[in-house]
Amino acid sequence: MKRLLLSSVLLASCLAPATKATLEATGPVMLDDGIAPLAEAPVCRESTPGTLFVDGTDAWNLGDDGLRLRGNRLTVADLDNDGFPDLVVHTLTTNARQAVALDGGARQVWQLMNRKGPDGHRRFVDETGNGLFQVRDGDGRQYRAAHLAIFGDVDNDGDLDAFAGTHDDPSKPDIGDRSELLLNDGTGKFSLANPTPVRGGAMERLPTTAAAFTDADRDGKLDLFVGYFYEYYGRTYQGLQAQLLLGQGTGGFTRGTDAAGLTTERGNFATFRNHRPAYGITACDLDDDGAPELMVSAYGRQANLLYRNDGRGRFTDVSAASGFAGDDVVDFTDNENFKCFCSVNRADPRCSNVGRPLIGCGADPAARWADGIDDQPWRNNGNTFTTWCGDLTGDGKLDLYSAEIRHFWAGSASDSSELLRNASTGQALRFERPGNQATGMGLPRVGPSWNEGGLMAAGGDLDNDGRQDLIVAASDYPDQFGVVLQQQADGRFVDQARAFNLEHACMSGLAIADFDRDGDLDVVAGASTARDCSAIWRRGQEVRLYENQGSSSGKGLLLKLTGDGTTTNRGAVGAKVTALAGGKRIVREVSGGYGHFGMQNDTVVHLGLGDCTGIEELTIRWPDARGTTQTFRNVPVDDRVFFEARQGEPTLKRVRLSR
């Protein structure tokens, strides 16, 4: 299955003629400012391929002459509703609080607002004191111990609220900080919500690693799916129960895990019923029924979890049946630690064809191998940090990309980062793994003792050619750089990091957004030298912003979706956008955060359209229980504005921004 040739499949799906769905509501073609749409069907020409990014770190006030921004957990959201995405940054921190007076590279948390500078250029301004990191029991002189943040409109008042996650390591002293929900006043200032299950209980200490806002039961109120790491890292293989918290629409939550069918167990590894040590969470609609599926990206070579939604917020575990749990390879005999075990256990029949180890085995070679554990199927999957969800193949179905850490010594049973192509039919979820040789998506392996460092992944049309591209933050192992996988016309991918000027060393933080609202996607990247990447990167956790010049690229259209706040959550998380342009079907879904330690990209949908003068047909399926849809035809492209679609309103609104 891994060796399936992909290029012909992708090409056929990209060029297949679009079929029109039966729509419940069809919007007129007039725009709300009285400007008519294109009088005729849009004209599309082949755009000049390629794009180029320039280092805009200093221009955006993030460099050493400005904010001296440090960090590698990056979240993008428009926190003050001015139309421009802002940036929240965390560093790799401990349980400790920090003094508010700390600045520059000593800072562990940042809230940066996207403002227009005196020279007319957009720049980031430090507004970390706006309450996002406030301490519940403090006096305002310390920031809370915080490690991730995602944003969603939990009270349906039109602005983005925050889930601020704390990775509370139970082996460290307890200072009392817990994960929190904070409410936005609409200007980017936050206040702590009343205590709810979001905090994990007054006495419960939880190592929070990931979260996603989603409307699991499609009642118009955002829910929250949260993942946690091990009970005690390094002492046990036992993870912790992922939690689904059901939104009440007022900023409160109730526990919904058990009733939703998401309960796992302590122990029972052999039956794959065990809690997983989660390093990522993802929510998206994989079977195209309008309701989100839920995923847990598991660490420690344990199997990933995929829960199918019945459409009403009840879930069924389809991890193994769908092919999502891990690849088919479970043969552990090429694991170098098993070879060490065999060097002193030659009588073991499993060692009959095992070669000499390529690593030093130490004084007790057998101690490197946990027999009865490391040889079990549940222990021979991946170290999955992030599962990214989006339509990479152009067939209208949301595919998955798993970003994995893999080491040479772990052998072939350890999963690689790769594409999982959505081959589902109806309600039967199924994913194929064409393999990196077929797709061109393999990560570099440097030297004989190589490491594949897939930490984070983010998708977007970087060159506005109508095809989805992918960036992988490839960690801080030796000679690792960010990988920029540009999709070609035949559906294969080529690493264009150097050509795009995005060859960012030791990349371990990633976010994509159109920060200057000029119609193309910019990239912000963090770095780390926690391992041994410092030979090529001596700047620590410096964050850099790469601005897309886009002069030779195609056109892009930005679309903001606003739900009615009653049947659909106001931020339209889970809405599906389908655009038909130039023979391509372009599909996007509004995300409420995903991945490793709170990844989140702009909730304004970006559509790359090549050299098209507009969109032939733009369909929005709203994430309400009915799956209400609206369609607009012959929508013109204007990369100096973005459009806003409001549920229940029959026209598109043109939003002009003051740059």
Side-chain angles (χ1 to χ4, degrees), residues 495-507:
D495 184 2
Q496 297 281 25
R498 181 167 295 181
F500 281 9
N501 193 37
L502 284 174
E503 196 176 36
H504 185 92
C506 313
M507 188 187 287

Side-chain angles (χ1 to χ4, degrees), residues 31-260:
L31 304 174
D32 83 331
D33 55 6
I35 298 176
L38 296 171
E40 300 178 351
V43 176
C44 297
R45 304 177 182 88
E46 186 65 28
S47 60
T48 304
T51 190
L52 180 68
F53 292 80
V54 298
D55 190 337
T57 307
D58 291 333
W60 283 82
N61 195 36
L62 301 178
D64 286 346
D65 291 334
L67 296 175
R68 298 184 64 237
L69 181 61
R70 300 294 186 268
N72 46 22
R73 291 166 180 167
L74 313 174
T75 307
V76 170
D78 181 3
L79 302 180
D80 56 359
N81 275 333
D82 67 348
F84 290 90
D86 307 305
L87 182 63
V88 174
V89 180
H90 297 74
T91 64
L92 294 169
T93 57
T94 66
N95 280 36
R97 295 175 178 176
Q98 63 171 313
V100 167
L102 292 177
D103 59 8
R107 180 82 62 78
Q108 295 178 353
V109 290
W110 304 78
Q111 179 185 338
L112 304 178
M113 306 302 290
N114 187 342
R115 306 287 192 215
K116 189 174 183 177
D119 59 355
H121 190 282
R122 304 297 302 185
R123 64 203 303 267
F124 285 106
V125 175
D126 185 8
E127 296 188 13
T128 307
N130 278 355
L132 183 58
F133 307 106
Q134 64 189 278
V135 177
R136 185 170 286 274
D137 60 353
D139 57 7
R141 292 182 296 180
Q142 288 183 312
Y143 292 131
R144 189 178 64 256
H147 305 88
L148 65 96
I150 61 167
F151 297 89
D153 189 354
V154 301
D155 51 7
N156 282 329
D157 66 349
D159 53 50
L160 295 177
D161 309 299
F163 169 72
T166 295
H167 184 277
D168 192 359
D169 186 342
S171 68
K172 303 291 177 58
D174 184 6
I175 61 172
D177 289 340
R178 302 289 186 264
S179 296
E180 296 280 5
L181 182 75
L182 297 103
L183 301 178
N184 192 342
D185 71 353
T187 69
K189 295 182 174 63
F190 293 87
S191 59
L192 288 162
N194 292 330
T196 73
V198 167
R199 302 191 76 225
M203 302 301 294
E204 193 172 8
R205 304 182 63 186
L206 294 171
T208 306
T209 54
F213 281 118
T214 186
D215 189 355
D217 50 8
R218 293 192 293 175
D219 65 351
K221 304 165 187 175
L222 278 185
D223 310 311
L224 182 66
F225 191 43
V226 188
Y228 310 98
F229 207 37
Y230 290 102
E231 279 186 354
Y232 292 96
Y233 178 59
R235 303 183 197 175
T236 177
Y237 297 97
Q238 183 64 59
L240 290 165
Q241 169 75 60
Q243 297 286 348
L244 177 64
L245 305 173
L246 299 176
Q248 298 173 311
T250 58
F253 289 84
T254 59
R255 298 183 186 273
T257 306
D258 296 340

Side-chain angles (χ1 to χ4, degrees), residues 12 38 64 77 170 189 214 260 328 346 401 483 499 503 568 589 594:
L38 296 171
D64 286 346
K189 295 182 174 63
T214 186
D328 295 333
R346 284 296 175 188
Y401 179 87
V483 176
E503 196 176 36
T568 293
E589 183 177 286
Y594 72 103

Side-chain angles (χ1 to χ4, degrees), residues 302-544:
Q302 296 197 35
N304 296 323
L305 287 169
L306 167 58
Y307 295 99
R308 183 186 173 274
N309 195 331
D310 69 355
R312 300 181 298 275
R314 288 280 303 175
F315 293 87
T316 302
D317 184 349
V318 296
S319 312
S322 66
F324 176 74
D327 65 23
D328 295 333
V329 180
V330 293
D331 180 6
F332 55 84
T333 56
D334 59 350
N335 185 305
E336 296 300 322
N337 289 326
F338 181 68
K339 293 179 183 179
C340 287
F341 171 85
C342 287
S343 69
V344 293
N345 289 277
R346 284 296 175 188
D348 191 313
R350 299 172 299 172
C351 298
S352 58
N353 294 315
V354 173
R356 298 181 61 184
L358 301 177
I359 61 174
C361 295
D364 186 2
R368 301 182 64 95
W369 179 256
D371 206 34
I373 294 176
D374 290 341
D375 56 347
Q376 298 302 302
W378 64 265
R379 176 71 167 146
N380 282 283
N381 298 281
N383 293 303
T384 313
F385 281 64
T386 294
T387 300
W388 175 84
C389 181
D391 181 15
L392 278 173
T393 60
D395 62 357
K397 299 177 182 178
L398 299 185
D399 309 298
L400 302 172
Y401 179 87
S402 59
E404 314 264 358
I405 293 284
R406 184 183 177 191
H407 310 287
F408 82 100
W409 54 261
S412 57
S414 184
D415 297 357
S416 283
S417 301
E418 64 177 328
L419 168 69
L420 281 68
R421 188 178 74 86
N422 193 335
S424 305
T425 55
Q427 297 180 351
L429 286 175
R430 185 169 65 88
F431 294 90
E432 296 176 350
R433 297 172 182 259
N436 289 325
Q437 185 174 359
T439 62
M441 301 178 83
L443 300 185
R445 296 176 176 180
V446 180
S449 55
W450 51 265
N451 303 280
E452 289 182 6
L455 288 176
M456 302 172 180
D461 188 351
L462 299 176
D463 51 4
N464 278 345
D465 65 354
R467 293 184 288 267
Q468 187 96 286
D469 309 305
L470 195 74
I471 302 180
V472 182
S475 84
D476 51 1
Y477 286 109
D479 299 315
Q480 295 284 297
F481 294 81
V483 176
V484 181
L485 297 169
Q486 182 194 36
Q487 187 170 176
Q488 309 299 297
D490 64 358
R492 285 179 56 84
F493 292 81
V494 175
D495 184 2
Q496 297 281 25
R498 181 167 295 181
F500 281 9
N501 193 37
L502 284 174
E503 196 176 36
H504 185 92
C506 313
M507 188 187 287
S508 63
L510 175 63
I512 297 177
D514 183 2
F515 288 107
D516 50 6
R517 293 304 193 218
D518 64 351
D520 51 39
L521 294 174
D522 311 303
V523 176
V524 60
S528 170
T529 53
R531 297 184 177 92
D532 40 15
C533 199
S534 57
I536 57 173
W537 183 262
R538 301 183 184 278
R539 297 169 176 168
Q541 294 186 50
E542 183 177 283
V543 176
R544 305 202 73 78

